[in-house]
Amino acid sequence: MITDERDIEKIIKLAREGKKISKIWEDYFPHYDYWDIYFEIHEAGEKSALGTKRKITYRLNKLKGLSKQDQQVVIEEIRHLVDHLYIRYKEGQKKIEQIRNVVD
């Protein structure tokens, strides 16, 4: 269990930047358990980009065998996942623009 709030904030920040949970664990917090990092990210409502991509792929593959009503539920879930990726992408673009402005 992670008790240091600064570590939790940094973990969530790294996840928002698109870092894989395994990389956050290996590169920044090897002294914590992988699952502690995983749960902190998910409890904060964050998703890794790779995890989101995998969920979308799984849901798309699952669509074929579902009823029309169930397909609509899965399609809505996919829409939310794609929105999540898009929001994170736009946030990343803003950060890159800010960095460029400082460098230039």
Side-chain angles (χ1 to χ4, degrees):
M1 182 174 189
I2 303 172
T3 56
D4 187 338
E5 287 296 320
R6 292 174 297 187
D7 286 350
I8 293 170
E9 288 173 13
K10 185 170 183 178
I11 289 167
I12 293 167
K13 180 181 175 229
L14 291 167
R16 284 186 181 143
E17 292 173 359
K19 296 265 189 218
K20 294 181 188 178
I21 294 172
S22 61
K23 285 295 182 186
I24 294 171
W25 173 56
E26 291 170 358
D27 296 346
Y28 299 92
F29 299 101
H31 54 282
Y32 290 127
D33 185 66
Y34 171 90
W35 292 107
D36 288 334
I37 294 170
Y38 173 90
F39 287 119
E40 288 298 335
I41 290 169
H42 285 275
E43 284 179 16
E46 292 302 319
K47 302 167 189 71
S48 71
L50 179 62
T52 302
K53 177 195 166 293
R54 287 180 178 161
K55 284 180 187 178
I56 291 169
T57 301
Y58 174 77
R59 300 307 189 277
L60 287 171
N61 291 334
K62 184 179 170 183
L63 275 175
K64 192 184 303 182
L66 297 176
S67 68
K68 288 287 184 192
Q69 184 177 13
D70 290 338
Q71 284 180 356
Q72 290 305 313
V73 171
V74 173
I75 288 169
E76 188 61 29
E77 184 178 0
I78 291 169
R79 185 175 294 119
H80 287 297
L81 292 169
V82 170
D83 288 346
H84 169 77
L85 288 177
Y86 179 74
I87 289 166
R88 291 296 172 249
Y89 167 77
K90 293 303 281 182
E91 289 174 351
Q93 290 301 104
K94 287 179 185 176
K95 288 179 185 177
I96 289 171
E97 187 63 33
Q98 290 171 347
I99 292 168
R100 283 187 185 132
N101 289 337
V102 169
V103 171
D104 292 340

